[in-house]
Amino acid sequence: MHRRKLLVSALGAAAALGLTLTACGSGDGSDQPVAQVSGGTAAKPIVTLDTPMEKPDLTLTDSDGKPYDLLEKTKGHPTLIYFGYTNCPDVCPTTMANIAVAVKQLPQAERSDLRVVFVTSDPERDTPAQLKKWLGGINKDFIGLTGPFDKIQQAARSVNIGIEAPVKKKNGDVVSTHGAQVLLSSPKDDKVHWMGMQEATSDNYTAALPKIIKGQNP
């Protein structure tokens, strides 16, 4: 019987939305997922935060094996940040695919201006090469970052996103927990003003991104 793990994460001004961590893995040595996700609200798939947050001050290694200073590289650009991992069986690929569909609808100039950053919560397995391969199948312009887990966890906590190190159970299950929300920052002040909930669809992002790129509430 697959084990399921659910942890609740408070998110500052948006805590009342009941945000959670997502637990994912594979059980019994098979490809069957171990996951339980809840929280958020389908009625508000893109949430405007009452108090904007600073983007994480974080320098990691990108999928080309080069240092990537998140604040420097995304300064003045609309930015989406997501903490997840490539072995996630469901939530992570779905979220990133939804974003990719929306990005494809943008004019070329807006696509070039936008930064989509995927920060791994499983750096032991998510090497630069693995991130490059996985993101290449979604959108080759998306940026993958990896590095020391403690550094990544601290950065996630600075924006009230909870993650925990993957845990391998005696039966072979690998369980990894991470916040399922997407941080969306404005190019006007480089602060996180909005959050894409787990329930956000490609249509939600398609409607929201043109406004976010201009620093407007979606």
Side-chain angles (χ1 to χ4, degrees), residues 17-94:
L17 295 174
L19 305 180
T20 65
L21 296 180
T22 300
C24 308
S26 59
D28 304 324
S30 72
D31 293 329
Q32 296 298 318
V34 177
Q36 181 171 337
V37 181
S38 65
T41 168
K44 291 184 178 180
I46 307 292
V47 176
T48 299
L49 302 180
D50 291 337
T51 303
M53 297 185 292
E54 300 287 345
K55 284 187 290 190
D57 185 356
L58 184 64
T59 299
L60 293 172
T61 302
D62 68 16
S63 52
D64 290 322
K66 299 177 180 179
Y68 189 96
D69 184 325
L70 182 65
L71 294 184
E72 177 186 333
K73 296 288 189 181
T74 64
K75 184 177 181 180
H77 296 282
T79 304
L80 279 63
I81 304 169
Y82 183 76
F83 291 86
Y85 66 113
T86 65
N87 282 285
C88 177
D90 39 34
V91 178
C92 299
T94 299

Side-chain angles (χ1 to χ4, degrees), residues 5-196:
K5 187 176 182 181
L6 178 63
L7 298 176
V8 177
S9 174
L11 181 67
L17 295 174
L19 305 180
T20 65
L21 296 180
T22 300
C24 308
S26 59
D28 304 324
S30 72
D31 293 329
Q32 296 298 318
V34 177
Q36 181 171 337
V37 181
S38 65
T41 168
K44 291 184 178 180
I46 307 292
V47 176
T48 299
L49 302 180
D50 291 337
T51 303
M53 297 185 292
E54 300 287 345
K55 284 187 290 190
D57 185 356
L58 184 64
T59 299
L60 293 172
T61 302
D62 68 16
S63 52
D64 290 322
K66 299 177 180 179
Y68 189 96
D69 184 325
L70 182 65
L71 294 184
E72 177 186 333
K73 296 288 189 181
T74 64
K75 184 177 181 180
H77 296 282
T79 304
L80 279 63
I81 304 169
Y82 183 76
F83 291 86
Y85 66 113
T86 65
N87 282 285
C88 177
D90 39 34
V91 178
C92 299
T94 299
T95 298
M96 297 305 291
N98 284 340
I99 293 171
V101 169
V103 169
K104 192 174 181 179
Q105 312 307 312
L106 296 170
Q108 180 59 49
E110 293 185 348
R111 291 203 300 271
S112 298
D113 189 31
L114 183 67
R115 301 289 182 269
V116 179
V117 182
F118 180 89
V119 185
T120 182
S121 60
D122 183 13
E124 184 174 341
R125 291 186 291 177
D126 283 342
T127 62
Q130 171 63 13
L131 287 170
K132 192 177 187 70
K133 178 181 178 181
W134 189 76
L135 289 172
I138 300 173
N139 184 311
K140 64 181 180 60
D141 293 324
F142 287 1
I143 300 150
L145 299 181
T146 188
F149 178 81
D150 290 348
K151 192 173 183 180
I152 292 169
Q153 185 181 54
Q154 183 178 5
R157 287 176 174 175
S158 75
V159 284
N160 296 309
I161 297 291
I163 64 172
E164 291 191 355
V167 177
K168 187 172 184 178
K169 303 296 184 180
K170 291 182 179 180
N171 65 356
D173 290 357
V174 177
V175 178
S176 179
T177 58
H178 60 90
Q181 297 79 39
V182 179
L183 304 170
L184 306 112
S185 75
S186 170
K188 290 184 176 181
D189 61 3
D190 286 313
K191 292 184 178 181
V192 177
H193 286 260
W194 311 281
M195 179 160 294

